[in-house]
Amino acid sequence: MAINDLLDEHEQSERVRTWLRQNGAGILGGVVLALALIGGWQWWQKQQLGKLAEANSRYEAVSRSLQSKDLDEAAREVAALEGGKAGIYADLAALELAKAQVEAGKYDDAIKTLRGLKVEGEFKTLIDQRIARLLVETGKPEEALSLLGDTEDSAGLEIRGDALVAQDKREQARDLYKQSLGKLDVAAPQRRLLEIKLMDVGGSVADPAAENI
């Protein structure tokens, strides 16, 4: 090997050592940070798994309480779920509790349970409509109308019509029932009931094909 080559290698090695002295702390810090991030991620995963396991346990407790008709205990378990990070478990448990409360005739409790749900989008629309139906059932049509606002989907129009009937505003209800029928699929199972509601307020049932023209 030529002396020049040896000098080049020595020079290169010196450059490497100098670079390491200057940047070694940064490299070490980066490694430490990476290890910390990995450790933090693993800890976070364990925490999430623990929360999910706890949520599942509480959800099962809600189910057991509902099976034994202990609605008060079920409500306490649902409240505990909603206070944490149970996600879908909390929503499902609340819906099951509300269903049981309605079946038990505890409409006000069911309304409270449904209002406790933190939901958005289409799911919120469905929940609001369920609450509105219960408000009509409990003699609070004004609250139902306020909750629904100017909703224009078939179910919303029907519930608004129900609220107006409860206020003895049959002509306005008739218009909403007609609009609701026009938006409802011909084969929809709820169509027959809506037709009955329309006829009950003095309306007539048109040919489905004509409604959608």
Side-chain angles (χ1 to χ4, degrees), residues 32-102:
V32 172
L33 178 60
L35 291 174
L37 288 174
I38 292 172
W41 172 250
Q42 291 175 339
W43 174 85
W44 183 84
Q45 284 185 313
K46 290 180 180 179
Q47 288 290 103
Q48 293 301 111
L49 288 174
K51 289 177 181 178
L52 286 175
E54 181 183 356
N56 181 62
S57 177
R58 287 193 177 279
Y59 176 75
E60 291 178 352
V62 172
S63 297
R64 288 194 297 271
S65 296
L66 292 177
Q67 289 173 1
S68 62
K69 308 298 183 183
D70 190 346
L71 300 187
D72 291 337
E73 178 60 27
R76 284 190 287 271
E77 292 291 349
V78 168
L81 273 170
E82 292 174 344
K85 301 293 183 182
I88 189 64
Y89 283 108
D91 294 341
L92 289 174
L95 289 173
E96 289 188 17
L97 173 61
K99 180 176 182 292
Q101 289 169 329
V102 169

Side-chain angles (χ1 to χ4, degrees), residues 63-152:
S63 297
R64 288 194 297 271
S65 296
L66 292 177
Q67 289 173 1
S68 62
K69 308 298 183 183
D70 190 346
L71 300 187
D72 291 337
E73 178 60 27
R76 284 190 287 271
E77 292 291 349
V78 168
L81 273 170
E82 292 174 344
K85 301 293 183 182
I88 189 64
Y89 283 108
D91 294 341
L92 289 174
L95 289 173
E96 289 188 17
L97 173 61
K99 180 176 182 292
Q101 289 169 329
V102 169
E103 291 173 349
K106 297 184 176 183
Y107 295 153
D108 288 334
D109 289 344
I111 291 171
K112 181 180 178 181
T113 297
L114 291 173
R115 280 180 166 162
L117 283 167
K118 302 296 186 291
V119 292
E120 298 177 352
E122 293 184 7
F123 194 20
K124 184 179 187 307
T125 299
L126 292 173
I127 295 301
D128 284 349
Q129 289 177 350
R130 187 63 184 126
I131 293 172
R133 288 187 189 277
L134 292 172
L135 287 171
V136 174
E137 289 286 337
T138 53
K140 302 169 185 174
E142 300 87 355
E143 287 187 38
L145 290 169
S146 177
L147 177 62
L148 294 176
D150 296 326
T151 181
E152 291 293 325

Side-chain angles (χ1 to χ4, degrees), residues 121-197:
E122 293 184 7
F123 194 20
K124 184 179 187 307
T125 299
L126 292 173
I127 295 301
D128 284 349
Q129 289 177 350
R130 187 63 184 126
I131 293 172
R133 288 187 189 277
L134 292 172
L135 287 171
V136 174
E137 289 286 337
T138 53
K140 302 169 185 174
E142 300 87 355
E143 287 187 38
L145 290 169
S146 177
L147 177 62
L148 294 176
D150 296 326
T151 181
E152 291 293 325
D153 64 291
S154 180
L157 288 166
E158 179 184 356
I159 302 168
R160 288 170 60 194
D162 294 343
L164 290 171
V165 169
Q167 294 179 317
D168 201 28
K169 298 177 180 179
R170 300 171 68 83
E171 186 174 344
Q172 295 178 46
R174 184 164 62 245
D175 291 338
L176 291 179
Y177 286 150
K178 286 181 179 178
Q179 292 179 49
S180 179
L181 269 176
K183 293 176 180 290
L184 197 61
D185 187 89
V186 175
Q190 65 268 38
R191 187 178 183 87
R192 182 53 183 161
L193 176 59
L194 185 52
E195 290 175 343
I196 293 173
K197 289 181 179 181

